[in-house]
């Protein structure tokens, strides 16, 4: 007879275990169980749903909307600390942030002369080595590998691998310096699938690929059949083709089997790559997106090579079978937009730029941190009023595309971006309102100069004094909004929010949304955003049900909704 399997330890079972331990004072048991319950509630789950595992806790913690739930930074930190303590009591190995291992005397002696930053960055690693009796002279890449694994398995704080890299970089910077007897630790190989390098393919293919790229970037107004593409599109085509070739190489083919572009886009080769990438999976939307991207690149090369009619027809047939046409926002964007359907959350986002400007209204000699905060508030306000793609605000220039009031007071601020600088060749020409103009005035005249290291007309300047790139600007905006109000967004989500807000107030007016977002075809606008009205339809129907219920004199009382508190009720959890 087989032994009974041990049940998976969930947070509910962990709470039951803690409540059964008489050696822990009752107030402490209730405090720990309250932390378990409140953590689960903020994550939108029950303690039964959450496995008591550091990796699971870390993933949920990264997405938990604790600010929206009404917690302060300090109270949320207390919940996480108590949760970690509860995991320890339950026998779960967990690295607690403030329970760093104490370095031994050899490590202490090594760390003593370092600056505080380097000492703090290495301290956790030094303590970990000390309890394993690893001398500083024994540190090698083989030592760092299990350290990375330890952090990944036992740390509940976010991004454990990056914390390992912090120690590695500090080690190389402060200890394994030139002339020392300590080993330099190289960066480990990235986790995940790596594509085959172009350098691994025959030189003839590389030469043809280079010629193809040069031709596709050429802008020849007198060649009606040639359609130039942008550098970012060319990079995307290269990556798609490389992904396809990597699939073939991983399944037995050699890079030497592709001496030319013609061998790459051979219909039989492309079909084989598609079969391997599907690997028996259904041809759903996710698979179609992947294969559709590859066929777009393949057909571009086929046109460039002027393949024979039969080969092009076969490729077009393949493209037709895997064609993907977006029928709305992707699932991830819709999930991120859902919290903004709530009026209270939406109001926090809409008022955030004004709140930051009000917080800093008395500041006339700002710090860099204050200047960066005001910069992000200005960017958010711009995207709320003019829902551009992030590349356009990153390239805004006070000398050309964003125009201040004449003589500082006549008229208002204006954005004027020519069609050639916009993705859909749709010019952006917008007069900005007074509130946004006031925010821009404060940012440009008081805060922007703190970030400048030299003369520049760029609106959004980085710490090095140069124009901020679109990727950095988008990431910083996401961190800013998450830090300020607890909502997870990205810059492009502002376009979806603009469509939602306008259609909420003006159902069915897709033409205005089309112009607002710069779509060439109204079918694109309808296809992406008609689903947003579904929520409004259900809300109106829900209101009808409530109204009809209210007319019933014998209507039962409405059930009260629970709220998140720090008070523990054993009945709720156990």
């Amino acid at each position: 007879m087989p032994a009974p399997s041990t049940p998976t330890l969930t947070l509910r079972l962990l709470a039951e275990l803690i409540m059964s331990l008489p050696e822990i004072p009752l107030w402490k048991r209730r405090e720990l169980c309250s932390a378990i319950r409140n953590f689960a509630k903020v994550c939108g789950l029950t303690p039964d749903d959450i496995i008591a595992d550091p990796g699971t806790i870390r993933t949920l913690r990264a997405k938990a909307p604790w600010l929206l739930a009404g917690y302060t930074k300090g109270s949320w930190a207390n919940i996480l600390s108590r949760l970690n303590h509860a995991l320890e009591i339950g026998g779960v190995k967990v690295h607690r942030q403030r329970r760093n291992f104490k370095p031994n005397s050899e490590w202490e002696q090594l760390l003593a002369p370092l600056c505080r930053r380097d000492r703090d960055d290495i301290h956790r690693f030094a303590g970990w080595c000390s309890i394993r009796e690893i001398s500083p002279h024994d540190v090698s890449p083989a030592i760092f590998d299990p350290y990375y694994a330890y952090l990944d398995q036992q740390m509940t704080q976010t991004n454990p691998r990056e914390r390992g890299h912090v120690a590695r970089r500090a080690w190389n910077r402060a200890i394994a310096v030139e002339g020392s007897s300590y080993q330099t630790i190289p960066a480990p190989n990235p986790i995940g699938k790596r594509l085959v390098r172009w350098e691994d393919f025959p030189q003839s293919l590389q030469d043809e690929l280079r010629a193809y790229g040069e031709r596709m970037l050429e802008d020849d107004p007198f060649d009606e059949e040639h359609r130039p593409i942008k550098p970012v599109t060319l990079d995307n085509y290269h990556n798609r083709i490389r992904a396809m070739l990597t699939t073939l190489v991983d399944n037995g083919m050699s890079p030497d089997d592709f001496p030319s572009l013609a061998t790459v886009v051979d219909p039989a080769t492309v079909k084989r790559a598609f079969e391997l990438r599907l690997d028996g999976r259904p041809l759903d939307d996710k698979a179609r997106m992947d294969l559709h991207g590859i066929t777009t690149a393949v057909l571009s090369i086929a046109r460039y090579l002027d393949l024979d009619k039969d080969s092009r027809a076969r490729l077009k047939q393949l493209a037709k079978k895997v064609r993907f046409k977006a029928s709305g926002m992707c699932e991830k964007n819709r999930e991120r937009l859902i919290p903004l359907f709530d009026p209270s959350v939406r109001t926090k986002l809409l008022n955030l730029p004004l709140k930051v400007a009000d917080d800093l209204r008395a500041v006339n000699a700002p710090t860099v941190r204050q200047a960066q905060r005001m910069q992000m508030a200005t960017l958010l306000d711009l995207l709320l009023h003019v829902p551009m793609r992030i590349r356009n605000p990153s390239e805004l220039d006070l000398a050309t595309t964003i125009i201040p009031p004449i003589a500082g007071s006549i008229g208002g601020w204006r954005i004027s971006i020519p069609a050639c600088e916009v993705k859909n060749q749709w010019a952006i020409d917008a007069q900005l309102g007074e509130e946004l103009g006031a925010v821009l005035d404060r940012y440009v005249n008081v805060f922007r100069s703190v970030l400048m290291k030299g003369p520049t007309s760029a609106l959004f300047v980085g710490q090095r004094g140069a124009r901020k790139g679109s990727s950095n600007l988008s990431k910083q905006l996401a961190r800013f909004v998450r830090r300020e109000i607890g909502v997870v967004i990205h810059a492009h989500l502002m376009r979806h929010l603009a469509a939602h807000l306008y259609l909420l107030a003006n159902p069915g007016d897709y033409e205005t949304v089309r112009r607002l977002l710069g779509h060439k075809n109204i079918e694109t606008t309808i296809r992406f955003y008609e689903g947003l009205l579904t929520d409004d339809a259900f809300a109106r129907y829900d209101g009808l049900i409530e109204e009809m219920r209210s007319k019933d004199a014998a209507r039962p009382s409405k059930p009260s909704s629970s709220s998140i508190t720090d008070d523990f009720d054993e009945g709720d959890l156990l």
Side-chain angles (χ1 to χ4, degrees):
M1 179 176 175
S5 59
T6 304
T8 301
L9 183 64
T10 64
L11 291 191
R12 178 182 177 84
L13 294 177
L14 178 63
E16 291 176 349
L17 172 65
I18 289 172
M19 289 304 296
S20 69
L21 299 176
E23 62 270 25
I24 301 176
L26 180 60
W27 67 267
K28 185 67 175 178
R29 283 180 273 163
R30 289 185 170 182
E31 184 180 75
L32 296 176
C33 289
S34 176
I36 289 173
R37 185 188 63 170
N38 289 333
F39 176 81
K41 192 171 287 188
V42 172
C43 295
L45 301 168
T46 69
D48 254 333
D49 300 324
I50 302 175
I51 297 174
D53 166 73
T56 301
I57 301 298
R58 184 169 63 239
T59 301
L60 292 172
R61 172 186 171 175
K63 298 179 180 180
W66 53 271
L67 264 176
L68 294 179
Y71 287 106
T72 64
K73 186 176 181 180
S75 60
W76 180 243
N78 285 338
I79 288 176
L80 295 176
S81 177
R82 291 165 185 163
L83 178 60
N84 283 347
H85 189 191
L87 290 170
E88 273 193 309
I89 292 173
V92 178
K93 292 183 178 179
V94 57
H95 178 99
R96 297 184 66 197
Q97 193 170 13
R98 298 189 181 278
R99 191 209 57 192
N100 290 334
F101 308 115
K102 181 176 176 57
N104 60 26
S105 58
E106 185 181 13
W107 277 97
E108 285 283 12
Q109 188 176 357
L110 181 66
L111 299 182
L114 303 184
C115 68
R116 180 172 179 178
R117 175 197 171 192
D118 291 337
R119 191 167 58 248
D120 289 347
D121 287 349
I122 300 174
H123 188 273
R124 191 197 313 253
F125 175 68
W128 180 85
C129 288
S130 295
I131 66 166
R132 288 162 176 77
E133 299 182 350
I134 299 172
S135 166
H137 290 283
D138 295 331
V139 171
S140 67
I143 296 298
F144 261 87
D145 286 342
Y147 180 62
Y148 292 137
Y150 160 78
L151 293 177
D152 192 53
Q153 293 165 8
Q154 299 191 29
M155 178 175 277
T156 58
Q157 285 80 40
T158 57
N159 207 349
R161 196 165 182 85
E162 174 57 25
R163 293 168 191 257
H165 291 321
V166 165
R168 177 185 60 80
R169 288 191 289 263
W171 171 273
N172 291 339
R173 180 177 63 242
I175 295 177
V177 295
E178 188 175 354
S180 74
S181 59
Y182 301 103
Q183 289 190 51
T184 299
I185 309 299
N189 291 328
I191 297 174
K193 176 63 183 172
R194 301 190 72 182
L195 301 181
V196 179
R197 302 176 308 164
W198 285 120
E199 292 80 3
D200 295 329
F201 290 92
Q203 185 62 45
S204 55
L205 176 63
Q206 296 179 48
D207 293 340
E208 285 192 24
L209 193 68
R210 189 176 302 108
Y212 159 74
E214 291 171 354
R215 173 56 179 158
M216 296 310 296
L217 294 176
E218 285 181 4
D219 187 5
D220 186 350
F222 302 107
D223 187 347
E224 295 182 358
E225 295 185 359
H226 175 62
R227 292 182 293 178
I229 60 178
K230 296 178 180 179
V232 65
T233 305
L234 180 63
D235 288 343
N236 184 43
Y237 285 179
H238 283 173
N239 289 334
R240 297 285 189 174
I241 295 296
R242 195 152 64 104
M244 183 188 80
L245 293 177
T246 298
T247 300
L248 293 167
V249 170
D250 286 347
N251 285 274
M253 296 187 74
S254 166
D256 293 332
D257 292 332
F258 305 101
S260 65
L261 284 176
T263 58
V264 171
V265 299
D266 178 75
T269 301
V270 176
K271 182 181 178 182
R272 175 61 178 155
F274 284 5
E275 291 170 345
L276 291 170
R277 289 184 76 81
L278 277 177
D279 193 26
R281 294 180 294 116
L283 189 58
D284 55 16
D285 280 354
K286 186 175 181 180
R288 284 181 182 275
M289 281 183 66
D290 173 44
L291 301 183
H292 177 78
I294 293 175
T295 55
T296 303
V298 165
L299 288 173
S300 172
I301 294 174
R303 285 191 295 269
Y304 164 75
L305 295 175
D306 195 19
L307 287 185
D308 62 87
K309 187 176 180 180
D310 179 62
S311 294
R312 291 179 67 174
R314 290 167 63 192
L315 288 174
K316 287 180 180 178
Q317 188 65 28
L318 275 174
K320 185 178 180 180
K321 289 182 178 179
V322 301
R323 185 181 181 191
F324 172 77
K325 197 170 186 179
S327 58
M329 288 182 289
C330 70
E331 192 62 32
K332 186 175 290 186
N333 279 340
R334 183 165 180 80
E335 286 178 3
R336 288 175 174 170
L337 195 60
I338 284 174
L340 298 174
F341 291 171
D342 184 284
S344 63
V345 177
R346 188 166 62 233
T347 299
K348 286 182 180 180
L349 179 68
L350 296 178
N351 288 334
L352 180 55
L354 301 181
K355 177 183 178 300
V356 172
D358 187 60
D359 289 346
L360 302 175
R361 69 184 183 280
V363 175
N364 292 311
T367 63
V368 170
R369 182 67 59 85
Q370 289 171 327
Q372 290 171 333
R373 188 173 180 231
M374 188 65 182
Q375 184 184 74
M376 288 299 104
T378 305
L379 173 62
L380 176 61
D381 216 12
L382 267 174
L383 293 176
L384 285 170
H385 286 84
V386 187
M388 306 172 276
R389 294 175 179 85
I390 190 61
R391 176 193 160 200
N392 295 122
S394 74
E395 295 177 350
L396 283 176
D397 194 296
L398 289 165
T400 54
T401 51
I402 182 160
I403 306 160
I406 300 171
S409 59
I410 302 174
W413 284 82
R414 187 174 196 86
I415 286 180
S416 183
I417 304 175
C420 62
E421 296 182 14
V422 183
K423 179 182 177 182
N424 285 352
Q425 304 295 307
W426 186 279
I428 299 174
D429 197 8
Q431 180 78 35
L432 307 182
E434 289 185 11
E435 284 187 336
L436 174 54
V439 172
L440 275 165
D441 273 330
R442 279 284 290 167
Y443 167 65
V444 170
N445 296 321
V446 178
F447 295 88
R448 177 173 168 270
S449 59
V450 176
L451 303 173
M452 295 170 58
K453 304 298 181 184
T456 178
S457 56
L459 179 64
F460 296 114
V461 188
Q463 273 193 287
R464 297 182 181 178
R467 181 192 311 276
K468 279 189 177 179
S470 58
S471 178
N472 283 339
L473 211 55
S474 182
K475 291 175 183 176
Q476 290 170 12
L477 177 68
R479 288 197 294 266
F480 165 74
V481 174
R482 177 72 188 270
R483 183 174 62 247
E484 296 282 343
I485 62 172
V487 176
V488 178
I489 67 158
H490 52 76
H492 201 76
L493 200 70
M494 293 297 98
R495 291 171 58 83
H496 300 319
L497 178 63
H500 168 66
L501 294 180
Y502 187 82
L503 289 173
L504 196 63
N506 304 275
D509 188 3
Y510 292 104
E511 174 59 23
T512 300
V513 176
R514 182 188 73 81
R515 290 181 173 276
L516 191 65
L517 301 184
H519 291 162
K520 286 186 176 181
N521 193 327
I522 197 169
E523 290 181 4
T524 302
T525 311
I526 295 173
R527 190 169 68 247
F528 263 79
Y529 299 116
E530 64 178 347
L532 292 178
L533 295 180
T534 303
D535 293 275
D536 185 48
F538 276 110
R540 283 185 275 121
Y541 181 68
D542 186 66
L544 174 63
I545 295 297
E546 291 287 328
E547 181 183 351
M548 295 175 74
R549 281 178 172 175
S550 67
K551 295 177 181 178
D552 183 2
R555 178 189 181 186
S557 61
K558 185 186 299 184
S560 59
S561 59
S562 59
S563 59
I564 296 177
T565 69
D566 283 330
D567 297 327
F568 177 68
D569 181 351
E570 291 183 41
D572 284 348
L573 184 60
L574 306 177

